[in-house]
Amino acid sequence: MTAADWGLLMVAATAAGWVDAVVGGGGLILLPVILLVAPQLTPQAALATNKATAIFGTVAAVVTFARKVPLNWRVLIPAGAVAAVASAAGAAAVSLIDRELFIPIIMFVLVGVALLVTFRPTIGVTAAPTPPTHRKIVIVIGLAAAGIGFYDGILGPGTGTFLIIVFATMLGTEFVRSAAMAKVINVGSNLGALAFFAVTGSVYWQLGAAMAACNVIGAVLGSRTAVAKGAGFVRIVLLVVVVGMVVRLGWQQFG
C-alpha cells in the first residue's frame, strides 16, 4: 500500500471511531476503505480486521462515557458477556445465512428506525418520566445483547444504532445514555466476533493495530462530543447515519 492508502485508512479509522461512539455504524465508513486499499482481502478478512480495530475504540468510548454517564454495571457487564457469545455464534453462522435475503430485511428495519426517530421527535431526547423496573431493564438489555449481538457477528453494520434505538424506545433512556449503554454491549459483541475470527485466522493484525490508535482518538472525541452536545445532537447524527446505512447497503445489494 502507498502512503496515500495509509493516510486514507487513518482518516477513515478516526472518522469511524467518532461515528461509532456517537450513534454506531462506524463500520460503514471503515470497511469500504479497507476493501478499497486492500482489495486482496476477502470480505470476511476485512470484517475481521475491522473488528480488531473497532474493539479498541469501543473500549475507549466506554471509558470516556463512564466518567460522565451513570451506568448499571451489574446488568451491563453480564449482558456484554451474552453479546460476546451471541456474536461468536453469529460469526460462525455466516455461511449458513442467505445474505441476499438478510440485507433487504436490515434495510427495511433501518427505514423503520429513521421514520420512528423522525415522526416521534421526543424519543431519546428526554428520559421517560417513569423509570423502568429492574426486571424490565434486565429483560430488554439481555434480549438486545443476545439478538443484536448475534447480528453483529453475522453482518455488523448499525449494531450500536440498533442498541441505542432499543434502549431509547423500550427503556425510555435518552440518547446519550443509550449510546453509553450500547458501547458496553458492543465491547462484548466485538470481542466475541473477534475471538472467532482470530481462531479461524481471518484477522490481519498489523493492519488492524495500525488503525486502532486513530480509531481510539475518534472514539474519545465522539463520546465527548455526544456528552457535550446532548441528545438533540445525537438524534441528528443518528438520522444521518441511518440514511447512510440504507444507501450503503442498498448499493451493496443492488448496485
Side-chain angles (χ1 to χ4, degrees):
M1 293 188 294
T2 66
D5 291 335
W6 280 106
L8 181 59
L9 281 172
M10 297 307 108
V11 171
T14 304
W18 190 93
V19 170
D20 213 40
V22 178
V23 292
L28 285 174
I29 297 173
L30 189 54
L31 272 174
V33 177
I34 293 175
L35 290 170
L36 175 67
V37 302
Q40 72 274 19
L41 297 184
T42 64
Q44 185 179 33
L47 178 62
T49 305
N50 177 65
K51 290 294 183 189
T53 299
I55 191 167
F56 290 97
T58 307
V59 170
V62 169
V63 172
T64 305
F65 271 126
R67 292 171 178 169
K68 300 290 184 180
V69 180
L71 295 171
N72 189 340
W73 294 107
R74 289 192 301 173
V75 175
L76 289 172
I77 290 177
V82 170
V85 175
S87 183
V94 166
S95 62
L96 306 177
I97 301 298
D98 184 354
R99 293 168 71 89
E100 296 299 315
L101 177 63
F102 196 60
I103 291 178
I105 293 174
I106 298 304
M107 290 174 62
F108 178 80
V109 173
L110 286 169
V111 170
V113 168
L115 293 174
L116 179 68
V117 175
T118 300
F119 293 106
R120 291 187 60 186
T122 58
I123 288 179
V125 176
T126 57
T130 304
T133 63
H134 179 73
R135 180 182 179 184
K136 183 176 182 179
I137 291 173
V138 171
I139 291 173
V140 169
I141 293 179
L143 290 177
I148 300 176
F150 185 79
Y151 163 76
D152 194 19
I154 291 178
L155 192 61
T159 297
T161 307
F162 289 136
L163 288 167
I164 289 171
I165 289 297
V166 168
F167 297 152
T169 55
M170 301 298 294
L171 299 179
T173 55
E174 46 86 29
F175 280 139
V176 175
R177 189 177 181 200
S178 295
M181 294 164 62
K183 287 298 99 183
V184 178
I185 305 299
N186 215 180
V187 168
S189 65
N190 279 340
L191 184 61
L194 179 60
F196 175 83
F197 288 136
V199 170
T200 58
S202 301
V203 184
Y204 281 66
W205 293 105
Q206 289 182 330
L207 180 60
M211 295 186 292
C214 291
N215 194 256
V216 167
I217 293 171
V220 171
L221 292 175
S223 50
R224 287 181 177 177
T225 302
V227 171
K229 297 290 187 180
F233 171 80
V234 175
R235 178 177 179 272
I236 294 172
V237 177
L238 178 65
L239 282 170
V240 171
V241 170
V242 167
V243 171
M245 281 192 283
V246 172
V247 172
R248 174 71 180 85
L249 290 173
W251 179 263
Q252 176 182 331
Q253 182 74 5
F254 306 111

